[in-house]
Amino acid sequence: MINDTIRDVSITFLTEDTGIIVACDSSAAIGLKEADSVLAAPEITSAFCLRVALMEILAIGGIPKIVVDTIGGEMEPTGTRMITGIQNELIKAGLTDVMINGSTEENMETKMTSIGVTVVGTVQKNQLRYGTTLAESTLYQVGEPLLGADVLEHRDAIFTYQDLAEIQQKTHVLELLPVGSKGVAYEAEQLARSSGLHIIFDKTEYEDTRSAGPATVLLVAVEKGRVLRLTNKKIAVKKIGYFTKEQLI
């Protein structure tokens, strides 16, 4: 039974079969305040922050139930706009029955936009996709690393919740892992390690260390000899490596 933090989520089982799963993310200096580094509507900032935590829970097989936002700014106008962004993102994800709670900063004047988002959900033991990658299975990269202003300029190239759901339904898909600030190379190693394996990249250039910002890349482990395809042709999909029991020198 898992009661631990695995990769970017924490899981504790309350019964033999049902557990609580938690994921979180934070964002700062992206908004419309004077000290922000990237100019963006507060609705967009909060939506992408929520996206990261939602993707982490959904990819591992959890079901989001509660969203908690901690907004480092005043309710009006920033907080209200950020909550609207959260509500809109939940609609995009098809999660209209998720509860929202949170807090704002009303005691101090802030000059930089910031928000933290925590998502709490449930997970069934038989639905948990963790440590299910097999030796000789292949690794696919869905999407490309995007950060800051590039996220706003290339939103059509970012995989959606519908793309994630389509991938999860494929019987030859073994495991999924969203990539954020630590980059493809780091998360691929984590994916391999979860199953006691090693990752071998097809090309050195695929050992990408660039930040993928608000989960703009999804790593997908696929059964040996099978190909991963997406209906959404706007999203880049490429095979970048394979898993092995022994590390090659």
Side-chain angles (χ1 to χ4, degrees):
M1 184 179 293
I2 297 173
N3 290 282
D4 202 357
T5 296
I6 52 177
R7 298 198 292 247
D8 292 320
V9 300
S10 296
I11 301 175
T12 183
F13 276 85
L14 305 179
T15 69
E16 187 66 29
D17 300 313
T18 303
I20 298 294
I21 185 168
V22 181
C24 60
D25 193 49
S26 62
S27 175
I30 302 174
L32 298 178
K33 291 182 177 289
E34 60 181 277
D36 287 335
S37 299
V38 176
L39 295 181
E43 295 90 339
I44 294 175
T45 301
S46 61
F48 276 114
C49 188
L50 173 59
R51 170 190 165 88
V52 174
L54 286 180
M55 286 295 182
E56 288 170 349
I57 285 184
L58 292 169
I60 206 169
I63 301 174
K65 296 294 184 180
I66 302 172
V67 170
V68 180
D69 59 78
T70 46
I71 298 168
E74 74 294 339
M75 177 61 84
E76 297 295 343
T78 303
T80 297
R81 295 184 65 177
M82 282 189 153
I83 293 168
T84 297
I86 287 171
Q87 292 169 333
N88 291 340
E89 190 70 8
L90 288 171
I91 291 172
K92 282 175 60 178
L95 299 169
T96 55
D97 60 344
V98 171
M99 295 173 59
I100 301 175
N101 196 351
S103 179
T104 56
E105 174 55 74
E106 304 300 334
N107 297 309
M108 305 296 290
E109 180 182 359
T110 59
K111 300 183 182 298
M112 180 183 290
T113 302
S114 67
I115 182 173
V117 172
T118 300
V119 179
V120 181
T122 59
V123 63
Q124 297 301 312
K125 190 174 182 180
N126 62 0
Q127 296 295 315
L128 186 64
R129 282 193 172 186
Y130 173 77
T132 52
T133 297
L134 302 175
E136 299 187 1
S137 59
T138 53
L139 179 63
Y140 278 82
Q141 176 181 320
V142 176
E144 294 292 339
L146 297 172
L147 179 66
D150 287 339
V151 174
L152 305 179
E153 294 174 11
H154 303 285
R155 277 190 269 184
D156 285 348
I158 300 174
F159 74 93
T160 67
Y161 297 100
Q162 291 69 37
D163 296 327
L164 175 69
E166 178 186 335
I167 292 170
Q168 287 179 312
Q169 291 168 8
K170 297 179 184 296
T171 57
H172 57 286
V173 167
L174 302 170
E175 196 169 354
L176 306 91
L177 180 59
V179 179
S181 60
K182 293 179 180 177
V184 168
Y186 175 86
E187 297 295 359
E189 292 287 353
Q190 295 302 303
L191 187 61
R193 191 174 301 171
S194 298
S195 296
L197 303 172
H198 300 280
I199 177 65
I200 307 298
F201 289 97
D202 291 341
K203 299 179 181 179
T204 303
E205 64 197 66
Y206 291 160
E207 297 183 54
D208 204 331
T209 59
R210 292 175 296 165
S211 170
T216 64
V217 169
L218 180 68
L219 296 180
V220 184
V222 176
E223 290 178 356
K224 179 183 177 181
R226 302 297 296 273
V227 177
L228 180 67
R229 294 187 177 90
L230 261 183
T231 302
N232 185 358
K233 300 306 179 186
K234 294 180 180 179
I235 310 302
V237 178
K238 62 185 178 185
K239 177 182 173 295
I240 63 171
Y242 65 95
F243 298 93
T244 179
K245 289 183 179 180
E246 298 181 2
Q247 189 169 14
L248 302 184
I249 300 176

